[in-house]
Amino acid sequence: MFLRRTAVLSAAALLTAGLAACSSGNDGETLVISASSTPHVEILEHIADSGVLGDVKLDIKPVTGEIDPNELLVAGDVQANYFQHAPYLADWQKQKGVSDLVSVAGVHLEPMGLYSEKITAVDQLTDGSTIALPKDTTNFARGLYLLESAGLIQMDKPFADADLSVVTQKNIKVNPKNLKFVEIERSQLARNLGDPQITAAVINSNYAIEAGLVPSEDALLSEKVENNPFANLLVVRTADENDPGVKALAEALESPATATWIQENYSGSVVPVHPAG
C-alpha cells in the first residue's frame, strides 16, 4: 500500500501544472505520453523534432521510479504510453481487470540478452551458476526461453504454445547444469552484474543500453529478431484509438523514415519492426 501510495503521489507530482492528457487549441493538439527513457523517449523526441507531426505536439513524460505508465493511462493522466510489448500488456490487463487499453503501433524490438562480468561465453557457465532474470512475469518467461534457445535448459512447452503469463521455474523440464535463478526488477539487473553471487543476468536491451552496455557486442546470447512477438508498442485507451493526433503519431512511429533512424542510431541493439526506407 505504501508503494502504491508513493506511486500515486509521484504521478501527481509528475503531472502538476494543470496538465491534461490531451489538449487542443489554436496551436493544435498536444499529446501527453509516458515513455521509457531509452530508446523510447529518444525516438519520440526525434519524431517531434522532425516536423512530421504538423500541428500535433508531444509532451513526453519519462517513466521514473514506482510510477506505472499503464495506471497513468487508465486514469487519464496521459493519453498514450510507449514502453511495453504485447505479452506484457495482455498480462497487465488480465491482472488488473482492465480491457480498454489497445496498441495502435508496433515500433521496435529490444532483443533480450544474457550478460556477464564473470564469463565471456555461454559454455563457461558451470554447475550451479546463478542467473538473474527480470522479475515481472512475462519477461521472466521470455528470459527462460532465451536460455532454452542456447540449450541451457529445456522447458515443458514450446515457446509458441506457452502462456507467458503463468510460466514459472516449475516449467523447467531439464536443467543439466543445475542453474539457479533469481528474480530482480528489470531496471536493477545491469547493476547486479557485479554481485559475486550472480554469474550472469538476462537484461532487456533498453536497460542494458542505459547501463553503458552495447547489446549487439556485449551480449553473450541474444534473442532472434525473426518472428519475435516482443515489439514495443504505442498504447492508448480504446476511446482515443481514432484520435487524429494519436493516428498521426502512430503513422510516424511506423514510418520507413523512423525505421531508418532507429537502424542508424542503435547499430542493431534496437531493431525496427517495419522496413526502413
Side-chain angles (χ1 to χ4, degrees):
M1 286 296 293
F2 174 76
L3 288 177
R4 183 176 180 85
R5 181 174 177 81
T6 301
V8 172
L9 291 174
S10 299
L14 176 69
L15 298 166
T16 53
L19 288 173
C22 175
S23 61
S24 59
N26 293 333
D27 295 329
E29 182 177 6
T30 297
L31 298 179
V32 182
I33 176 171
S34 59
S36 297
S37 58
T38 304
H40 310 71
V41 167
E42 297 164 353
I43 294 170
L44 291 172
E45 289 177 339
H46 163 70
I47 288 174
D49 292 341
S50 71
V52 298
L53 295 179
D55 291 337
V56 177
K57 296 179 175 60
L58 301 183
D59 187 354
I60 306 166
K61 304 297 182 184
V63 174
T64 58
E66 298 293 336
I67 296 174
D68 185 331
N70 281 334
E71 288 190 355
L72 291 181
L73 184 56
V74 169
D77 292 324
V78 299
Q79 193 179 1
N81 66 42
Y82 175 31
F83 79 101
Q84 63 193 317
H85 49 64
Y88 181 94
L89 175 61
D91 183 52
W92 189 92
Q93 294 202 89
K94 178 181 177 181
Q95 290 189 31
K96 301 291 184 177
V98 174
S99 60
D100 67 338
L101 301 186
V102 61
S103 167
V104 292
V107 187
H108 73 271
L109 288 165
E110 300 163 12
M112 184 175 270
L114 181 70
Y115 300 83
S116 178
E117 292 183 357
K118 302 173 182 67
I119 60 173
T120 58
V122 171
D123 60 10
Q124 293 173 9
L125 284 167
T126 58
D127 190 82
S129 293
T130 296
I131 298 179
L133 295 104
K135 189 174 183 179
D136 66 277
T137 306
T138 54
N139 280 303
F140 178 80
R142 181 183 177 186
L144 290 180
Y145 278 100
L146 172 65
L147 298 177
E148 183 186 53
S149 72
L152 294 171
I153 59 175
Q154 182 182 340
M155 303 296 288
D156 61 357
K157 291 183 179 180
F159 176 78
D161 298 333
D163 179 355
L164 300 186
S165 68
V166 297
V167 169
T168 69
Q169 294 188 44
K170 294 180 179 179
N171 295 101
I172 299 174
K173 182 179 178 181
V174 180
N175 184 3
K177 290 193 174 185
N178 300 303
L179 299 175
K180 300 175 183 177
F181 305 99
V182 296
E183 300 176 36
I184 297 175
E185 294 290 345
R186 282 173 295 162
S187 60
Q188 305 298 315
L189 281 163
R191 67 185 61 181
N192 277 276
L193 287 173
D195 187 323
Q197 303 300 316
I198 294 176
T199 307
V202 176
I203 307 175
N204 297 73
S205 282
N206 58 319
Y207 293 112
I209 294 170
E210 289 178 9
L213 297 166
V214 181
S216 58
E217 299 176 6
D218 297 329
L220 307 182
L221 172 67
S222 293
E223 281 180 330
K224 293 181 179 180
V225 174
E226 296 79 13
N227 300 315
N228 189 311
F230 299 108
N232 279 226
L233 313 171
L234 178 67
V235 175
V236 301
R237 296 182 301 277
T238 53
D240 291 324
E241 190 172 0
N242 294 312
D243 177 89
V246 168
K247 294 179 76 170
L249 177 57
E251 182 178 347
L253 285 168
E254 293 187 333
S255 70
T258 296
T260 298
W261 188 87
I262 291 172
Q263 285 184 341
E264 292 176 347
N265 284 271
Y266 296 103
S267 303
S269 297
V270 178
V271 182
V273 298
H274 294 283

